[in-house]
Amino acid sequence: MKIAIIYSSHQGYALECARQISEGLSVDGNQADLIEVKKETKKLDLANYDTVVIGGGIHAGHLSGALRRFCSKYEALLRTKRLGLFVCGTDKDNQEKQFVDNFPQSLLDVAVTKGWFGGRIVFAEQKGIMRFMLKKILKGERDVHEEKPEAVKTFMHEMG
Ligand SMILES: Cc1cc2nc3c(=O)[nH]c(=O)nc-3n(C[C@H](O)[C@H](O)[C@H](O)COP(=O)(O)O)c2cc1C
């Protein structure tokens, strides 16, 4: 079985999750390809894949524009795949809203599983206006660790 893991990540946590999923699902003769949505999607042929996992980091309520455009463009084809969706974010009170706001409803309806993997903010990695805004939101220069590795494991189990 061929599996595509299509992700977007600004600070690297969604990439870590996507990598873990691709390693976890590459067993028993299955092959999972890790594909960053903005760089490699032009040459991507979804017809080659039976299973597709899509997800990324949430910033100001949204997945990257490239990932959302990808889901809209290929919505009809993606509906025919074994589909898993995930989001990474630190706002645990709005998990369901993050899915509804960022994926077409028809994909949410057919997804085998939907995973909320928590998130991570490393303050020192932030620059410019983001740094300024985060300092206000977080009420100081602090890191946030809301990673949920057990949710990644559950997701892999449900996709496997
Ligand atoms: C500028 C900024 C805005 C963010 N906005 C949100 C948000 O609206 N909702 C949320 O749940 N998490 C938010 N987060 C937390 C990120 O989702 C978290 O850092 C996640 O790990 C990002 O994924 P990435 O590391 O793959 O980029 C924000 C983080 C930053 C730095």
Side-chain angles (χ1 to χ4, degrees):
M1 188 166 72
K2 281 209 51 167
I3 304 160
I5 319 281
I6 299 163
Y7 73 94
S8 68
S9 178
H10 279 90
Q11 277 99 33
Y13 178 65
L15 168 59
E16 281 171 33
C17 295
R19 191 172 280 145
Q20 207 181 326
I21 294 166
S22 97
E23 285 166 8
L25 296 183
S26 292
V27 290
D28 302 330
N30 294 336
Q31 189 206 319
D33 294 340
L34 194 57
I35 300 155
E36 186 180 8
V37 76
K38 64 179 177 191
K39 284 190 186 150
E40 296 169 39
T41 34
K42 285 201 179 97
K43 56 186 179 199
L44 175 68
D45 187 357
L46 279 174
N48 291 332
Y49 298 96
D50 319 285
T51 295
V52 180
V53 171
I54 305 175
I58 298 277
H59 293 92
H62 289 290
L63 290 171
S64 77
L67 198 62
R68 284 180 288 137
R69 280 192 295 279
F70 177 84
C71 289
S72 300
K73 186 172 175 190
Y74 296 105
E75 185 176 344
L77 188 54
L78 288 168
R79 277 176 57 79
T80 67
K81 307 288 178 185
R82 202 156 175 283
L83 186 66
L85 304 173
F86 75 87
V87 295
C88 299
T90 50
D91 180 7
K92 58 177 173 293
D93 297 331
N94 282 305
Q95 297 176 31
E96 189 56 35
K97 184 169 162 47
Q98 290 171 356
F99 282 100
V100 171
D101 287 352
N102 286 288
F103 291 105
Q105 186 59 46
S106 74
L107 299 188
L108 293 170
D109 290 342
V110 297
V112 174
T113 185
K114 300 186 274 281
W116 183 81
F117 298 160
R120 180 177 68 214
I121 299 175
V122 179
F123 192 84
E125 288 176 358
Q126 309 301 323
K127 296 189 185 83
I129 186 79
M130 288 299 180
R131 194 179 167 91
F132 178 76
M133 277 164 50
L134 272 178
K135 195 170 168 177
K136 285 197 172 260
I137 294 165
L138 301 174
K139 299 187 172 57
E141 298 189 4
R142 64 183 186 90
D143 295 347
V144 178
H145 284 281
E146 286 280 352
E147 299 97 333
K148 304 285 178 208
E150 67 285 359
V152 182
K153 286 204 186 91
T154 303
F155 183 92
M156 288 194 290
H157 182 71
E158 288 172 357
M159 287 307 292

